[in-house]
Each structure stands twice: as C-alpha cells, then as structure tokens.
Amino acid sequence: MLTILLLPGRVALAAPPVQAWLDQQAVALDWQTDGRQRFSSELELAPGLLVLQGPAGSAAAQALAPYQRHPWREDSHLSLTLATAGRYRLLFQGGDAPSLRLLPVKQAARPTRCASWQGEALEVDVSRVFADGQLLRDAYSGQQARVEHGRVSLKPSAQSGGLLLLEAAEADAPASHDWRNATVYFVLTDRFANGDPGNDRSYGRQPDGEQEIGTFHGGDLKGLTGKLDYLQQLGVSALWLSAPYEQIHGWVGGGDQGDFRHYAYHGYYALDYTQLDANMGREDELRELIRQAHARGIRVLFDVVLNHPGYSTLADMQALDFGALRGGMSKFLPNDWSAWRPEPFENLHAYHNLIDYQHPNWAAWWGKDWVRAGIADYDSPPSVLADPLKGSLAFLPDFKTDSQQAVALPAFLKRKQPTRAVERAGYRVRDYLAEWLSFWVREFGVDGFRADTVKHVDLASWAELRRAADQARAEWSANNPHDPMSGTPFWMVGEVFGHGPQPNSYQANGFDGLINFAFQHDSAGPASECLAQADSTYRDYAALLSDNPAHNFMSYASSHDTSLFFASQGHSLARQRGLASALLLSPGAVQLYYGDESARRLGPSGSDPQQGTRSAMNWSEHEQPEIAALIRHWQLLGQFRARHPAIGAGRHQRLPGQAYAFSRQLGADKVVVVQGP
C-alpha cells in the first residue's frame, strides 16, 4: 500500500515504491528528496543482473535502459545486466505520472590524494610543446622563463594555489573567435544591476515587503550595460541574458505551498514576444547594450522559449479582457485585481477559486488553436512523461508548435497595445514564434539564442527558428557593416535537461551545441579540489571535439534550475577558487552563472528550492579582501582562456612529471597548465 502525505495544494510520495535486487540479493535504496516529489538514491553496483520492481511486481520483465525515463506502476518490472562494476544514480519522479531513471555516474580518475602545494617552485617537462630557447610567461604571475633542455622552472604566485598558466611570452589575442572556447556569462537580468529605478514597478508590479522571493528586484538592461567592463575583465565572450521580451504582468502563487507572489522576473512566462518588458528597459537601451558589448568583443544571447507562454494572471485578465470570474466572485476582488490577498486559512493558489476556467471568454486568450491548456474547450495536454512534445510543463499552456494548421492571431494580441504582432495568412504557431523571435536578431543584432526546454518541442520547429534567425542575422549584418560582429554567424545552444557532452540529433536541427549537465554532476566537485581529478573528463571532452570539429557543448557548475556550486560545497572559498580553474580550463564552451566568480550565496526560497539560486548579485561584497581576491583569480583564468582557443578546442595531452600538467594545442596556439605539487 503506497503511503501518501497530504500537503497544501499537492500530494507527495512518502517514499518511492521501488524494490531492487542484484543477482537476487536485495539492494538497499537510501532515498534523498528535494521535497518536491523527486527522489534520488546513489548505488555502488557489482556486475550482475539488476532488477527493479514495484511492490506488486507481477508484470512481465522489460529492459531497463540507462538514461531513459520509464513510466512506473506498482506492477513495474525492469531488468538490466551490468557488465562492469560502477556507480549509479536512481531517480524517481512522483506525482500523477511517476517515472524511474537509472543514470550511470561517470567516475573521475582520482589520485590517491590531492596534496596541497607548499610554496615551492615547479619544474615541468614542456618538450612536447615548446622548443628549447623559447621564452614562456606564466599568465597568472607575469613571470617569465626560458625553456632549457625541454624544461622550465617557475614558482607559482602565492595567490594561485600552485597554478602555472604557461603561454608563449609573445602570445597575441586570437585571430578569430571559436565558440568551442566561449566563456558565456549567464545573468538573470532582474537580479544583477539596477540601472533605472524608474522602471522597477512597471505594469503595477509591486514588492511584497517580505522576503521578495519571486518579485522583481529592479535589474535591467541599462544596469547590464554599466557592468560590461566588469564582464570584459572576466574574459567573457558572450552574455546570455534572461528573456527580456514582455512577460505576464501579474503574479501567480509561488512554490508548492503558494507562499509567495511569483512574478515572471526570470523571463519564462512570455506574454508578447514582440515587445521588451518595461521592467527590462527601453529599446534604445537594448541597442546601446548590444553596441557596447560588441565593441568589447562580447556577443549577446537571448534566452528563448518555444514550448510555452506564461500563465494567466488576475492582472492580465483584467487589463486584456480574457477569461472570466465565477458568478459573484467579483465582490471578493479589489478594484485592482492583482492586489487580492488570500484569507488567513488560504494560500496564494486560492485565487484560482475566483476564476471560471470553463467560460467561453477564454477564447479571447491564446485560443485552443494555439495552446493546450485543459480549460474551456481547449485541448487537455497529456502527461509530459507520456508525451514530452505535447505535455504541459508545470501546468503551463503548451504551444502547438507541432501543428500544421494555419492559425489566426490570438484575440488578446489583436487588441493589445503596443505590439508588433501582426496576423499572417497561412502562418502556423511555429511560424509566428520564429518571426517574433528572429525580429530581435534582425533589428538589434542579437548574436544567438539559448533555447529553453528543447526536448519538449519538435525538431522541425527548432530547425525553422534557426533558419529564420540565420536569415535575420544576414540582413542585420548587411544593414550594419561597421559593427564588429557584422558577418559573424548566429549561434544557438539548447537545454535538454540531463544531457551530457555527446553528439546528438539536435545538432542537425538548428543547434550548435547543448548544455552539458554532466560536468556539474560528475566533475565540478572533484576537479575543484585539484585539477588532476579532472584529467579523464578533460581528455574525454577534448576527444569529442577533436574527433568532430563541428561539435560543441557548454559545461557549467551553477545554474538557476539546479544548484549553486558555492552552496553545494559548504561555502568554501577554496573550492570556489578551484572551480575557476576546473571550469575555465575545460574543453568546450563554458557557462558562468552570475556570482560564481564572487561567491554569491543562496537567497530565500520559500517552498520552491530553486528560487534561492536566483538571489541578488552580491555587489556590496566585492570590495571585501577575500572576495576581491577570488574575483581576481577568476579574471586571470578567464583572460588566459580568452587569449587561447586551444584551451576550449585544442588537443589535450597529459605531461610527465611530479606536478600535474597538461598541454592544449590548436594549430599554432599552445598552452601548458601546471598545478603543484
């Protein structure tokens, strides 16, 4: 019998109903949970037959496929023959459509210990990389040494932690940009820097006067522009900013318990793709941001969402006249519907009780030809596990990008002002979205997209978006021949949750690469202790790139949807310094999450753990000596990476010697990295 817990607004599993055996011997499952019906158990397994069963366990055995999400019932019966010993992570997702996944965990090659550097000089054999007599420079300390008998000896800077970053003393800036060596800085614009306090309460958005978990904090495009010199000093080559186009104006109940007002500060609840959100600023400020970024060699990426628009809110229902209240419920609302407050015995999810979701006036919202939403006469979306392309994520309306039906412009967009949304004869949903998103490329010179929830949208729609963006890029380049980025190609990277660095079918359908989730899970922690523990990862990543020069991926250690590395490592400044080396010396594109370089801490989260990863940038701490030293460490490594495409795209080779050392070479570009002892 499955035990359940009844919580406000949800039903949560007390423990996953999974039993495990290896060669008929019971395997103990030590489940850990994030409190949101997601559970994980770490397993060390020997070779043998692994069987996973539900408590009923009567169904015929099915093959257990690693990485694949398997629907789970009480009579489920899955089996897999393990050829070698290894470490695995078992993931269970509860809820209306439970599922199970088995993930092999990549083991970093760990030395016996990570010994601390004791301040001595380091000698390294560089004969495979640099010629005798060549003058080398340590990019960290600025010291120089000449190669003699194939070796150099230098004492690392005391601040480096035993790190030498060796390059030719006459090293120049790279002749061309290589996306495999990109350093992408991801910023939630609202939480970064406030350049214009006058736009902080656009559309009537208000602070909550409490923890401000899900409210707008004031960060904007003008604030970002004022920090471009800071990003340039970090060696950043691309700025990924949260979607700045117009979001839903009002709030929804935040978290499982509806315990905070959640606005669309993060950019994932679109209302009108053709307008800037007023909280982000004006179009002239976007032009200035991109102009100044380009002048510094920094490309600008927009976060884009093709899977879903935003929720309906009381504020938008009132302003745009769609949907309807239940009979007599208007008396429970103030003149400004968005100012509604729940009764003491309710939470913020209770505003749904005021709304008649079966009223025909919901046709005036997106409309059933545009989205699956399960209201009025709209199509109800299936379980996202049963159908990843047509299912609803977090109860958001699901765009019908897969539909071949020509659609009219949604009724609310026909009335809304201002908007650039224009009805087009014969356009499908995907055609409108591609036109609206490529507009920002054509008119403003946006250099690329980071695409959200990629596996929940059909490949044909992504391919169409890329075609539209490439065409828009060509037109922008023709109209802006003097811009430093004119004539450079568009770039698109996708989020396929859980995907690693491997080649994939998405790269034949518009994407230059995918976000690499494996680095955070498997390598960031050990590698931050010492680089020797990253060597097998570095070797594998570099081989993937050298075997297929058109391949790319983007590794990260912190993000808005997973965790902050600083918090996960016990707020250790030493580990945060180690992360700079581990991440910025990794092959392939890398992503810094704002504040990685300055040990930004978690903020309040309420009943949604992810909210804490989106705290305000800790500018006030940057002058503290230990934080300033940490930022300087990230800057030196970032600038070294920026000078050398070989770091991200070159051939990796471990070098002999007592200290851990490796080289990266790409054509004439060569570097050697050493970490003592």
Side-chain angles (χ1 to χ4, degrees), residues 581-592:
S581 309
L583 182 63
L584 293 173
L585 296 173
S586 185
V590 297
Q591 171 229 297
L592 279 63

Side-chain angles (χ1 to χ4, degrees), residues 331-344:
K331 66 184 179 184
F332 295 105
L333 285 168
N335 290 335
D336 175 5
W337 291 4
S338 197
W340 172 85
R341 291 180 177 275
E343 296 294 332

Side-chain angles (χ1 to χ4, degrees), residues 10-29:
R10 64 186 277 211
V11 176
L13 293 174
V18 181
Q19 302 168 5
W21 290 269
L22 184 66
D23 286 342
Q24 301 183 353
Q25 297 294 316
V27 176
L29 300 177

Side-chain angles (χ1 to χ4, degrees), residues 335-357:
N335 290 335
D336 175 5
W337 291 4
S338 197
W340 172 85
R341 291 180 177 275
E343 296 294 332
F345 56 86
E346 297 176 319
N347 63 39
L348 288 165
H349 292 317
Y351 81 89
H352 293 292
N353 298 331
L354 306 172
I355 300 172
D356 180 0
Y357 283 110

Side-chain angles (χ1 to χ4, degrees), residues 151-206:
R151 310 181 78 84
V152 293
S153 179
L154 281 168
K155 184 176 181 179
S157 164
Q159 290 74 41
S160 73
L163 197 63
L164 294 175
L165 308 175
L166 301 180
E167 60 188 356
E170 68 279 6
D172 297 320
S176 60
H177 178 263
D178 192 321
W179 278 105
R180 295 173 297 173
N181 193 52
T183 301
V184 180
Y185 193 91
F186 169 35
V187 58
L188 283 177
T189 308
D190 173 68
R191 304 298 169 91
F192 194 62
N194 192 345
D196 180 9
N199 61 32
D200 290 359
R201 300 190 180 185
S202 300
Y203 313 115
R205 294 165 176 159
Q206 298 293 325

Side-chain angles (χ1 to χ4, degrees), residues 477-632:
S477 291
N479 292 331
N480 296 272
H482 302 299
D483 188 286
M485 301 302 171
S486 181
T488 59
F490 194 76
W491 193 67
M492 196 157 84
V493 63
E495 178 222 31
V496 177
F497 209 88
H499 203 283
Q502 299 83 5
N504 52 81
S505 61
Y506 298 99
Q507 289 172 282
N509 290 275
F511 289 95
D512 296 285
L514 298 180
I515 293 173
N516 172 26
F517 287 78
F519 184 85
Q520 182 195 49
H521 292 152
D522 303 331
S523 303
S528 71
E529 187 180 1
C530 65
L531 285 178
Q533 298 195 95
D535 191 69
S536 64
T537 295
Y538 286 172
R539 183 182 65 245
D540 293 347
Y541 286 7
L544 284 170
L545 297 168
S546 61
D547 291 346
N548 180 6
H551 181 52
N552 200 2
F553 45 86
M554 186 167 75
S555 301
Y556 75 97
S558 302
S559 85
H560 61 316
D561 279 337
T562 55
S563 62
L564 283 185
F565 182 85
F566 186 53
S568 72
Q569 299 298 315
H571 302 99
S572 166
L573 289 176
R575 282 298 186 91
Q576 205 69 11
R577 292 173 69 88
L579 175 64
S581 309
L583 182 63
L584 293 173
L585 296 173
S586 185
V590 297
Q591 171 229 297
L592 279 63
Y593 188 37
Y594 74 103
D596 273 349
E597 75 282 6
S598 58
R600 177 173 61 88
R601 293 176 177 268
L602 290 171
S605 64
S607 61
D608 179 356
Q610 260 31 79
Q611 297 296 327
T613 66
R614 307 164 187 178
S615 55
M617 181 63 171
N618 59 334
W619 296 113
S620 64
E621 298 177 355
H622 282 208
E623 298 305 316
Q624 295 176 9
E626 66 275 14
I627 300 300
L630 176 64
I631 294 171
R632 181 60 180 157

